[in-house]
Amino acid sequence: MRFALSEDQTLLQDSLTKALADLSPLERVRRFADGGEETAPDIWAGLSELGLPGLLVPEEHGGLGLGLLEAALAAEALGRVVAPTPFLGSAVLAPLALRLGGSDEQKLAWLPKLAAGEATAGVAISEPIAGARDGAGVTADGGKLTGTALFALDAVGADLLVVADRSGGLHLAAKADGVAALPSIDATRRLSELTFKGASGEALASNQALERLRNAAWVMIAADTLGACQTMLDRAVEYAKERKQFGRTIGSFQAVKHLCAEMAAELEPARALVWYAAYAFDNAPEDASLMAAHAKAHTSEIGRFIARTATEVHGGIGMTDLLGLHYWFKRIGQNRQLLGGPERVRELAARMQGLAA
């Protein structure tokens, strides 16, 4: 599959990649991951100055009015540096939810703030997409929310919450009655457990909003994995050119060459798949759901291969904290399971095509 970016899209990703090298270097990621910070406001403020939070916000509300492909390019750049940001919730899923089902008043109240980076949003949609566990799930009745939502994204310190109930309806809530951190393998992204005991929730109007949010989230997670994989591959190649064994750089050994070549061969086709899935979201609705599922499932599989192989190329040093590879390794691992592992997503894809009940 071939898919080419426009000159403006290439410029967007290149500019963001360069900016993130300064905003989110490994030392900053390490401080966030190891220091117990709940958020990284300095990174988000820097990205807000570049207009990143407003990518999907319509121009009449202070945003850039771009599409999901541009957001996917941004997610790929963020994944390259495992940036600890509320991008998925605040810049993608919440603006989409408001665009799809928000009232004029809700849009006016929140979209300008989200676009300017003045407010952040958390999203709790895991149960109706990936399946509920441990009795989790939220019930909506009379404008009140009750229950528990697990694996909420970007909910720590959020000004707005987008919450899915058991039936798949979406609601806007100013707060939850309880927000507890959920430990996970990826210390660069904060997951939360939200508890609702009658908190107010304003229903969003669109019946298709959750499906659209699911597709967008799958594509964004796939793009994030794509970026993380590219960094692991790049670092493996750089190390193979520098590390010497038996008087030769290890990159001159055929076995190491094959490992690097196999990673590149797996990664490059996935990039076109993810880019097309993002394009289809806005421009090919008949392909959008299936392409999003394929992108999520496929990058989950190649991500595990690349993370493991890049670590193997580094040998024993690949597992050390000093090198920092584990931040990308764990980001890829969490992305694999976030909002549905590849097995779950492939099952849903089969149902979309009538191949499974």
Side-chain angles (χ1 to χ4, degrees):
M1 180 185 295
R2 297 188 63 187
F3 190 86
L5 298 178
S6 70
E7 185 175 337
D8 288 343
Q9 289 164 341
T10 301
L11 180 61
L12 167 67
Q13 190 174 48
D14 290 346
S15 299
L16 184 57
T17 299
K18 292 177 182 177
L20 282 166
D22 294 325
L23 289 172
S24 184
L26 179 57
E27 295 77 12
R28 181 65 185 94
V29 173
R30 192 187 302 278
R31 290 203 309 274
F32 177 87
D34 299 345
E37 297 178 63
E38 291 187 341
T39 60
D42 55 324
I43 298 176
W44 193 237
L47 293 173
S48 298
E49 290 181 6
L50 299 175
L52 192 70
L55 279 179
L56 299 184
V57 175
E59 292 183 42
E60 60 265 29
H61 294 294
L64 299 177
L66 299 176
L68 199 73
L69 177 53
E70 286 79 13
L73 298 176
E76 187 179 340
L78 292 166
R80 281 177 178 257
V81 296
V82 287
T85 72
F87 175 75
L88 183 55
S90 299
V92 179
L93 299 183
L96 279 175
L98 287 162
R99 282 172 47 189
L100 292 167
S103 65
D104 290 341
E105 292 77 11
Q106 289 168 333
K107 293 175 182 177
L108 285 171
W110 288 108
L111 285 177
K113 293 180 180 179
L114 291 172
E118 296 172 357
T120 60
V123 179
I125 57 175
S126 180
E127 279 74 28
I129 294 175
R133 62 175 67 184
D134 299 326
V138 175
T139 300
D141 185 17
K144 301 295 183 181
L145 303 177
T146 57
T148 301
L150 299 178
F151 310 109
L153 298 161
D154 304 329
V156 176
D159 304 288
L160 174 70
L161 298 173
V162 178
V163 183
D165 63 31
R166 297 176 190 271
S167 65
L170 291 177
H171 307 266
L172 297 182
K175 64 177 182 177
D177 295 294
V179 180
L182 279 179
S184 71
I185 62 170
D186 179 15
T188 68
R189 181 190 284 126
R190 301 292 185 239
L191 299 180
S192 305
E193 175 182 337
L194 305 183
T195 303
F196 297 94
K197 300 178 180 179
S200 298
E202 303 175 22
L204 294 177
S206 174
N207 293 329
Q208 301 298 319
L210 180 62
E211 179 182 329
R212 295 281 283 167
L213 255 63
R214 178 203 66 190
N215 294 345
W218 280 349
V219 173
M220 291 300 103
I221 294 168
D224 188 271
T225 294
L226 192 68
C229 286
Q230 186 63 61
T231 293
M232 291 202 80
L233 170 57
D234 291 345
R235 296 187 68 171
V237 171
E238 290 171 6
Y239 182 77
K241 291 178 179 179
E242 297 172 357
R243 170 68 169 149
K244 289 187 177 182
Q245 188 68 35
F246 307 115
R248 297 166 55 185
T249 57
I250 64 171
S252 66
F253 293 107
Q254 190 175 48
V256 176
K257 288 180 181 179
H258 283 179
L259 290 175
C260 294
E262 287 171 9
M263 286 189 284
E266 292 284 356
L267 185 60
E268 196 56 33
R271 179 168 287 107
L273 173 60
V274 173
W275 288 356
Y276 179 72
Y279 170 84
F281 183 88
D282 293 310
N283 300 283
E286 68 280 4
D287 289 344
S289 292
L290 191 57
M291 288 297 101
H294 285 326
K296 175 64 164 66
H298 185 62
T299 55
S300 295
E301 300 290 17
I302 68 155
R304 181 168 65 175
F305 167 74
I306 291 173
R308 182 184 68 243
T309 305
T311 304
E312 290 174 356
V313 170
H314 282 83
I317 196 176
M319 300 306 296
T320 64
D321 180 68
L322 181 63
L323 193 65
L325 271 184
H326 60 93
Y327 294 117
W328 287 269
F329 191 106
K330 293 174 181 178
R331 180 82 158 236
I332 291 168
Q334 188 183 86
N335 282 349
R336 178 182 172 88
Q337 298 301 327
L338 202 58
L339 294 182
E343 300 82 7
R344 166 77 173 177
V345 175
R346 282 195 292 265
E347 179 185 349
L348 293 174
R351 292 180 188 175
M352 295 173 197
Q353 299 172 88
L355 301 176

